[in-house]
Amino acid sequence: EERGTTRLKGVVKHAQRKDFYSLCQENGLGSLASKFGLTPEQFGENLRDNYQRHETEQHSLEPEETADDYVQPSGIFSSVRAVLQGACHMVALQIACEPLVRQTVRQVFQTRAVLCVRPTKKGRKLIDDTHPCFPMKYLKNKPVRDLRADEFLKLCQAEDDHLLEMKLSVDLSHANERRNVIGQTYLEEIRQLFYRDEFSLLVEKWNAQRAQAVAQSFLKVLFPQMEKELKLKLLEEAKEHVLQSCVRNFQQWLEHAPFTAQAEDYTVLNKDEPCAGVIACAYTPDKTIPAFCCYLDGNGEVVDLLKLPHLLNRRQSPVEREREEKDEDLKRFKRFVLKRRPDVVVVAAESREANSIVEDFKLCLEELVQETEDEDEPVHPVPVELLPSDVSRIYSKSLRGREEFCDYPELLRLAVSLGRRAQEPLFEFTSLFASMDDEVFALNIHPLQGAISRDKFVAALEAELVTAVNTVGVDINFCLEHSHAGSMMCYVCGLGPRKGAALLKILKQENSQLMNRSQLVTQCTVGPQVFINCSGFIKINTSTLSYNDTVYIEMLDSSRVHPETYEWGRKMAVDALEYMDEEAIGNAIEDILESPEKLRDLDLDAFADELKRQDYGDKRTTLYDIRDELFGPFREKRSPFVSMIAEEKFTLMTGETPESLYEGKLIVCTVQNIVRRRPMREILDRANPIKNDRTGYWQCPFCLKEDFREMGLVWQHIDDGSCPGQGIGVRVRLESGLSGFVLTKNLSDKPVNAPEERVRIGMAIHCRILKVNMEKFSVDLTCRSSDLADKEGRFSTPRDIYYDHIQSEADQKKESGGKKEVKQKYIRRVIVHPSFKNCSYEEVENDLADLEQGEAFFRPSSKGPDHLTITWKVTDSILQHVDIQERDKPNPYSLGRTLLIGKEEYEDLDEILARFVQLMAAYARELLTNKCYRSANGGDRKTLEKLLTDERDKNPKRIPYFFSASKQLPGKFVLAYQPNKKPRVEYITIVPDGFRYRNQVYGSINELVKWFKAHFKDPIPKPVVAAAPSPVVPSNVMGMVDPNMMSNFQAAVDTVNQQRSVGGTPYTPSQWAPAGGGAGSTPGSQYGGQQPQPQHPPHQQQHHQQHHHHAGAYGGTGQYG
């Protein structure tokens, strides 16, 4: 053993590295450090008292001369400077480790600390007005004592995500953010406590060494440690606030009493049962999934079920079959109610459809009341209530739910749990917490609850649950008979999960009820201390017990009175009733419960004084509690059940909170329809149809329809009800499913006569919220350019009072001016828009390189101040540059009031993004995601030829075809196919209306492919010069075209268009024509060059119905045969 131990000791290696302080000490620098004049303890007392309690002793020699005695011939202390640095290091660490110094600095730091916040490069982009840290994005010198609620937790989460940088300092920072002067003022105060107050060269040199030691001690050791401690403390305080918010929210859920039928309103059914009879309804917004109802008796047991497959159909549906199915479901519901006679009907608040279900149920119940009012047993009014479904949804998906109702579908289990929550919320909450599957963490109580420790979270909520359960009391015999209530025993004071479960197990094994509380000891073997703790909260419903001579039934067992004070309760009852007879005294409790008002005459203060005289202590409060309990044993102390308010309904049914939906928020919504108002009679009398002198047609003054040849037709149109009326606004739908409304006056800053001038159905528009109407589940919106820009800041999110506006503006200027300025070939414009950049097309291409497909930027045009160019990303390597002509310009540098792309007119840049770029980007994505799309190096001829040839060799009987984005002609896609030995290629042009191919526009790629497969053998039209509706400027010729040349070219194009309008035939160009090619092809080659776009005649601009499948023998890889 000794040999083995010796061998083991030889194997163990001790650390050879030593810290700098140990090296200094080994080399004898400790004696030099002691010559600085103050010990760490003395400096700590000076710092604590904030004056020089101890004078600094001055060494007689200069620091360099003293250090020279410690210089070594070799090693790290071979110079005077190294020796002094080592001595300063030792003094600094001794000061930093002194407990009194640390205590004083900690107090000062936590009192005077200020917070500075700066966003990172990533944070400057991601922290927008919807981010919770936006009001604190830039902070300067915010005292930590002004931090409120969970602000610091949000900042820490943003810092963990690398969005923000935080710094805590002990003094205000007056420097430019590039310099670090943290703690400068306080450090100067500290140095004075170590200085020697004399004027001599010797003292100045030693004071310099002392100042260096103090600075090193505080800046390198103490301040970083104090900052770390304070951050942890602030973080814990913020988490504690979140935890207490969770507790308060959970407490609000628990403090609501279950639904109780009011006897004064109607006859209470199931009055012998502890709870109300409930019909619970659960559904999903999906109409294909049937809804379920279940009836629960007063004991919470499922008695009957009902399936309603068409409950979500509309009563006024235009489809007759849907109306009939809906009526049949409601009839079944009425028969169900008539059969079961519930006290209340509850509906899960899952979505907005819950409101319709509630209204339908209320109407059915009103009809039942009217139909049965003359019968012997009429149906009394039954309330219909909405309930949250969060806890019930967890139960429906849980293992315990599947074990209890294994044959029930998930929706039906949700309905059962919902009904039990209406009967007694504690049934469901205690079951949730008693589960071993961590179901409690599925509860959404607070947005930041995930930042809290799971153990702390559960412990805090369980403490509230224990309080609620023991306030209400637990009927042990009810828990014994009904398993869904058994979990309440786990939260009785003194029991807990193990003892509570064991208690029920013993009673079940003996197959007996608990007749009185004393049986907890005699029958259930509960210990004396446990009995003292739990007996006052266990309720025994004596009214349901059968009386016999063998078991004594104590009436006070059904109250909150503790067994230790039963005698005091009996004494109060006897004194109040003034009983003298022994037999009457035995019935005193039962009699006083029937007439408790006599207890008011008792002098409980005198009774309390007598008990105090008998050494029972001060029992005044206990006596008053006993008297209050005798007025009504286990009276309900929770707040009564109330219907949901509008804010609760809105949050539950939409999922929107005040943080996610608020006034001033920018959103994107889709136009659903135009809202019109039919004219009133007095307005009709003053109506005056207008004749268009240019066309000769008459216009309706309300719907603005302009195709009436005579004025009488206008009046006929109005009188027969054909006129839909004047458009008053636009109905839109938000991404969350909410409906919104935009008044016509809020569509544009310019006057708008009809909404159709600005929007169309299905169009995506940018809006800002003006008002949230929670009762109507709608929002009022505006899409005016001035409101969207919000230059006055009416809708901006309020900033923190310590917000650093100067630094924020400096960062914005730095980002905008960070790139090197190059010689501009364009005129700088004064346009304020997030998508506008004063830069060249090369810079825009670089900016778009990392963005998603469909993103776009506006920039000045080289054509002059009357033009803009929009560059949008077609694919990762292809950008399209589109010319925008401006009209009605206030000055040469601002944006024109009217914008033209081809012949299409737009009002502002936002409209171009919505009606031009977004639509074309969506159509481009449809092609890019098509199964037949190939990148082919930007539509490269040789690459496509090889793809077609390889595919044709695999299956000679089929004709392969592919799509590819053209890099030479941005905005166009190549359609390459091989009907025979040679390939053929045509162009598909992306336009806002869809896909233009062979002079026709198709709404979807499936529609285009179907037409192509049926007409691919038709001759390819020859290209002619025509004015494209969307002028495209290729990137390789940007800035190279002379303006005069462009104007001459446009004149030639207009001349050709006039000739074509007489009777010319339009054609679509093709890059690759058949052998012998058409116009524009290169001699000796079947491949043509770049071709201009055709102009569509009105009779050929038609849309076809969209088809979602290919017929015949078309292959799934872009082949057909």
Side-chain angles (χ1 to χ4, degrees), residues 533-606:
N533 292 336
C534 72
S535 58
F537 309 109
I538 293 180
K539 176 173 59 176
I540 298 177
N541 191 355
T542 56
S543 62
T544 61
L545 299 178
S546 57
Y547 290 84
N548 55 63
D549 298 334
T550 59
V551 179
Y552 171 71
I553 296 178
E554 173 60 64
M555 297 300 298
L556 288 176
D557 284 346
S558 62
S559 68
R560 293 184 177 94
V561 180
H562 196 275
E564 289 180 338
T565 59
Y566 279 179
E567 291 301 324
W568 300 345
R570 295 191 186 97
K571 172 69 173 170
M572 293 167 60
V574 170
D575 291 347
L577 296 172
E578 299 179 353
Y579 283 168
M580 302 298 294
D581 188 8
E582 291 295 334
E583 295 183 0
I585 291 176
N587 298 325
I589 293 296
E590 187 174 354
D591 295 341
I592 200 65
L593 291 176
E594 296 178 358
S595 54
E597 63 277 356
K598 294 182 180 181
L599 291 169
R600 300 185 188 277
D601 300 332
L602 294 178
D603 186 0
L604 297 183
D605 293 335

Side-chain angles (χ1 to χ4, degrees), residues 932-952 960-967 973-978 982-987 1071-1072 1087:
C932 302
Y933 177 80
R934 302 291 186 272
S935 60
N937 296 327
D940 180 67
R941 178 187 67 187
K942 294 182 180 180
T943 304
L944 285 172
E945 277 185 353
K946 187 176 185 305
L947 289 173
L948 292 171
T949 303
D950 294 344
E951 201 66 37
R952 186 63 182 265
Y961 68 95
F962 296 109
F963 302 108
S964 181
S966 174
K967 194 169 186 178
F973 281 76
V974 177
L975 171 58
Y977 59 101
Q978 190 171 353
K982 295 182 179 180
R984 298 177 65 180
V985 171
E986 302 179 54
Y987 279 109
Q1071 183 184 13
W1072 299 345
Y1087 306 105

Side-chain angles (χ1 to χ4, degrees), residues 657-902:
T657 62
E659 290 76 21
S660 64
L661 195 72
Y662 51 87
E663 295 180 5
K665 182 179 180 180
L666 280 172
I667 58 173
V668 178
C669 44
T670 306
V671 177
Q672 296 294 306
N673 62 321
I674 307 297
V675 180
R676 301 183 180 276
R677 178 183 296 165
R678 292 185 179 275
M680 307 295 291
R681 177 55 58 186
E682 56 272 13
I683 300 178
L684 288 174
D685 297 337
R686 299 193 301 269
N688 185 21
I690 304 171
K691 184 176 182 180
N692 191 327
D693 296 333
R694 184 176 59 85
T695 61
Y697 286 93
W698 290 83
Q699 183 183 38
C700 175
F702 302 111
C703 65
L704 304 180
K705 189 177 181 181
E706 191 181 15
D707 58 355
F708 302 100
R709 296 183 180 273
E710 299 177 359
M711 186 171 66
L713 296 176
V714 178
W715 289 113
Q716 180 180 354
H717 162 73
I718 296 174
D719 294 338
D720 62 10
S722 301
C723 178
Q726 183 180 5
I728 61 173
V730 178
R731 182 71 62 187
V732 299
R733 181 169 292 277
L734 280 64
E735 294 178 351
S736 62
L738 279 175
S739 62
F741 185 72
V742 186
L743 288 171
T744 303
K745 66 178 182 180
N746 291 331
L747 285 173
S748 173
D749 290 320
K750 296 181 180 180
V752 178
N753 296 324
E756 295 88 342
E757 298 176 2
R758 301 289 302 148
V759 298
R760 10 177 239 272
I761 296 176
M763 178 179 175
I765 58 176
H766 293 266
C767 297
R768 194 181 287 276
I769 298 176
L770 294 178
K771 181 182 178 182
V772 180
N773 193 332
M774 294 186 178
E775 295 181 355
K776 296 182 179 179
F777 288 83
S778 65
V779 291
D780 296 336
L781 306 168
T782 176
C783 54
R784 291 177 176 175
S785 300
S786 58
D787 292 335
L788 297 178
D790 192 26
K791 296 180 180 179
E792 300 178 357
R794 294 189 300 117
F795 303 104
S796 61
T797 305
R799 307 303 204 270
D800 192 276
I801 59 174
Y802 296 96
Y803 193 86
D804 192 356
H805 296 276
I806 297 176
Q807 187 62 46
S808 175
E809 294 173 1
D811 283 354
Q812 291 178 1
K813 291 180 181 179
K814 184 179 178 180
E815 286 184 359
S816 60
K819 297 182 179 180
K820 296 181 179 180
E821 295 185 359
V822 296
K823 187 176 180 181
Q824 298 177 357
K825 298 181 182 179
Y826 56 86
I827 300 176
R828 293 184 65 85
R829 305 292 298 278
V830 183
I831 299 175
V832 180
H833 192 275
S835 298
F836 178 81
K837 291 180 176 290
N838 270 309
C839 57
S840 63
Y841 77 93
E842 293 95 343
E843 294 172 318
V844 169
E845 288 179 345
N846 292 333
D847 292 339
L848 288 172
D850 298 330
L851 299 182
E852 296 180 357
Q853 186 270 345
E855 294 292 333
F857 285 119
F858 298 93
R859 58 183 177 82
S861 174
S862 58
K863 292 184 178 181
D866 295 336
H867 291 263
L868 287 176
T869 299
I870 181 171
T871 302
W872 71 281
K873 191 171 185 179
V874 183
T875 66
D876 290 339
S877 58
I878 299 176
L879 305 178
Q880 183 182 16
H881 308 275
V882 182
D883 179 58
I884 303 172
Q885 187 177 357
E886 302 176 72
R887 293 181 181 176
D888 302 332
K889 293 172 63 68
N891 58 70
Y893 300 98
S894 62
L895 185 65
R897 295 189 178 94
T898 303
L899 306 175
L900 293 175
I901 298 181

